[in-house]
Amino acid sequence: MAVANPRHYGCPRVLRCVVGVCAVAAAYDFDDPHAAHTSQAIQWDRENRRGDSRRAFESAARFTPTTQTMVNLGVCYMRLASGSGHRAHKVELYGLAYDAMARGGELAGRDEDVRLYEENWDALMTNFNIEDVPRPRGSVAVGSAAEAEEELPPDPRQCGAPPEKAPKSAFEQLMGFGSRMAGLGGDAPAMPARDFLLHQRPVAVADDLPRVDAADLAKFAEYEERRDPFVLRGATAGWKAVEEAGKTNAGAWAWLEALADQFPDAVTDFYPYNMLSSNRQSPYLTRFRRAVKELKIVNDKHQQLNGSAFRYESGNGALRGRYMHLQLTPDVWSELEKRGAIAADRHWQLENDAWLEECLGYPHGAVAAEYHLKTHWKILLVGARGAGMFNHSDSLQTSSWHAQLAGRKWWHVCGALSDGRPKCYEGIVAPGEILYYGRGWSHETQNLDDPTATITDTAVHARNFAAVADKLHGECTREVLDFRFSGQLCDALDACYNVLHRAFKDGRDKPPSMWRPWRGLAAPELVEKRKTIVPEHNNYDGRNYITE
């Protein structure tokens, strides 16, 4: 990104203004101790004038050093650091955020100030982990026992170094005297989830996603019965995927590369173009190992030098952010369980395969693999920061759970609550958390970190099994979804409808008559067409070109 000459405000190595945003209104003076610096900073932030906004927050902290102004400034630095693609600049900004938060903690006197500082400090430490940024030695909460025992030594990442006692760190030099992500306003609300987005989206701001601990799930009938969307916490203990990939960026890349080595023949749907772009493109069949390599290439101007197999266009509405989907067959899923990547003995809400095992020859049957691949029943989704999926709802009208393995993902979901009221939610799902939503809920996503990895499974239960059966039966008899099922799969699904009804029957002793054998309902030409479809044939079997 082009930058202007450094601005000299005590830390010229860090303070830079993006060209075109450094002009300010004549009526406002950064150096006026009586100016409404915070209000001006918020206004400029809303106008996306981040350079001016930052300087105004710095002025507010310099002239009125309180917990609120220090936290506001710390959040400002964190936002800039999170959005920076330059590693050294990112580390420097996080160093400044660290000092701002620390100074805010020192000034905290009232209970609300203490809560504000502590919640922001926790978020800052989380960001250090997620973005794999080295913490300054002694980076502990201000006022803690550990802080009394350790001094913060000189840190070459910052412009200047904090001495033993005197306030002369880079941040302190800058100010003239050190995230729940707090907002930048007067009452310090939580920092809006979409402030972390690389690409702002044209959707209305929504309420936060409800969150429930697994141990407390029985207290909330609407979530225990999977009637309404929510985020489940504490249900991924023992998942090696979360333990190995969910703590640092380096760990996430190492886990993905090891997984690609374990499944060398696996083929992904790779999206060189962000699916949020207005000019969306079809995916490329790409070997898993190659797709992981492509996701690691971050310099969009020099892909060929970095060994890329694709040209990444930036014009015509294209947005930064690459994505890949790996469809998981029952065999691969079973192998993930054996290796402990996902726990074989999972939370009961994440167990959805009993009916498949009974009627599809699961996990080793050919029709079981065909079913999973053609319905996208289970998927590993991996993407770069900014990548996402446009607003859509699932064609099978099923429910889904999405377990976050690495990085953070922003979600926006809309639908009807169990009481009939229309509702939208949004929020960030972090590693180890699981989002659930029911049938008919539209959803849009965007990744916040490099990389972000999610594993998803389709949930069939008492509240949606009939709708799922209707869709599958309609596909076999009338091609309502164009999944190109084989006749053998449709034969197996005839048995599945009875299994589903027996498992989740809603008071009826017999399955509905609409689920009669498909061969007696489908047109003769469709029956003949399905005879020619082989269960083992699919998009990933090598008959189509695959980028190696």
Side-chain angles (χ1 to χ4, degrees), residues 358-359 489-502:
E358 185 171 345
C359 61
L489 176 54
C490 286
D491 289 341
L493 287 173
D494 279 344
C496 287
Y497 308 136
N498 293 329
V499 173
L500 281 170
H501 184 265
R502 187 167 65 250

Side-chain angles (χ1 to χ4, degrees), residues 109-426:
R110 300 175 302 172
D111 289 345
E112 58 264 37
D113 290 340
V114 173
R115 286 194 298 270
L116 178 65
Y117 157 72
E118 290 177 344
E119 290 168 349
N120 276 276
W121 185 267
D122 288 343
L124 178 62
M125 294 301 101
T126 298
N127 271 24
F128 271 106
N129 286 334
I130 290 175
E131 300 226 48
D132 201 17
V133 174
R135 300 188 194 183
R137 287 186 57 201
S139 55
V140 295
V142 174
S144 69
E147 190 230 10
E149 298 174 0
E150 291 191 74
E151 296 287 342
L152 186 64
D155 187 343
R157 295 181 299 105
Q158 302 176 18
C159 10
E164 293 184 359
K165 299 290 185 181
K168 295 180 182 178
S169 68
F171 169 76
E172 290 161 341
Q173 291 179 29
L174 177 65
M175 291 297 100
F177 37 99
S179 173
R180 182 175 78 149
M181 307 300 292
L184 304 177
D187 59 354
M191 182 173 177
R194 62 183 61 194
D195 278 1
F196 292 96
L197 298 182
L198 181 62
H199 309 299
Q200 292 300 317
R201 303 301 299 157
V203 292
V205 175
D207 290 341
D208 291 339
L209 282 162
R211 297 172 189 269
V212 181
D213 290 329
D216 298 327
L217 189 59
K219 300 177 183 178
F220 304 93
E222 67 271 37
Y223 307 134
E224 184 181 37
E225 297 173 6
R226 292 181 279 197
R227 288 189 261 139
D228 297 328
F230 69 102
V231 174
L232 181 64
R233 291 171 160 172
T236 58
W239 289 35
K240 289 185 179 179
V242 176
E243 295 171 356
E244 296 173 4
K247 296 180 180 178
T248 66
N249 298 72
W253 287 122
W255 181 80
L256 285 168
E257 289 168 339
L259 192 66
D261 289 338
Q262 292 169 14
F263 301 101
D265 297 326
V267 178
T268 71
D269 296 299
F270 181 70
Y271 297 84
Y273 308 92
N274 198 326
M275 292 299 286
L276 295 175
S277 299
S278 57
N279 184 25
R280 291 189 285 270
Q281 305 288 330
S282 298
Y284 292 82
L285 296 178
T286 305
R287 202 69 70 182
F288 188 13
R289 184 183 288 110
R290 163 57 66 179
V292 173
K293 181 178 180 179
E294 292 290 333
L295 289 174
K296 291 190 72 175
I297 296 174
V298 296
N299 189 343
D300 287 346
K301 296 181 180 179
H302 305 290
Q303 312 91 351
Q304 304 305 324
L305 296 179
N306 287 326
S308 173
F310 300 95
R311 289 187 61 188
Y312 296 100
E313 297 183 2
S314 57
N316 299 320
L319 298 175
R320 172 186 166 192
R322 304 159 193 166
Y323 225 153
M324 73 158 210
H325 294 178
L326 176 64
Q327 309 297 334
L328 302 175
T329 64
D331 281 333
V332 172
W333 187 267
S334 179
E335 191 64 26
L336 291 175
E337 291 179 328
K338 290 178 182 177
R339 294 172 184 266
I342 55 177
D345 185 16
R346 297 184 291 279
H347 187 275
W348 65 268
Q349 282 206 348
L350 312 180
E351 295 280 7
N352 306 293
D353 295 338
W355 68 278
L356 293 170
E357 294 172 3
E358 185 171 345
C359 61
L360 288 186
Y362 189 95
H364 304 301
V367 293
E370 178 191 3
Y371 178 80
H372 279 68
L373 291 174
K374 292 181 177 179
T375 62
H376 299 184
W377 203 252
K378 292 175 168 68
I379 315 173
L380 174 67
L381 307 100
V382 184
R385 180 170 184 262
M389 291 297 293
F390 55 88
N391 189 44
H392 67 285
S393 58
D394 298 331
S395 58
L396 264 179
Q397 292 297 294
T398 53
S399 305
S400 297
W401 58 260
H402 297 255
Q404 198 64 24
L405 306 181
R408 300 162 298 170
K409 180 178 287 188
W410 171 80
W411 285 83
H412 189 279
V413 299
C414 291
L417 294 171
S418 52
D419 61 9
R421 290 182 298 123
K423 185 69 176 179
C424 291
Y425 292 113
E426 70 176 299

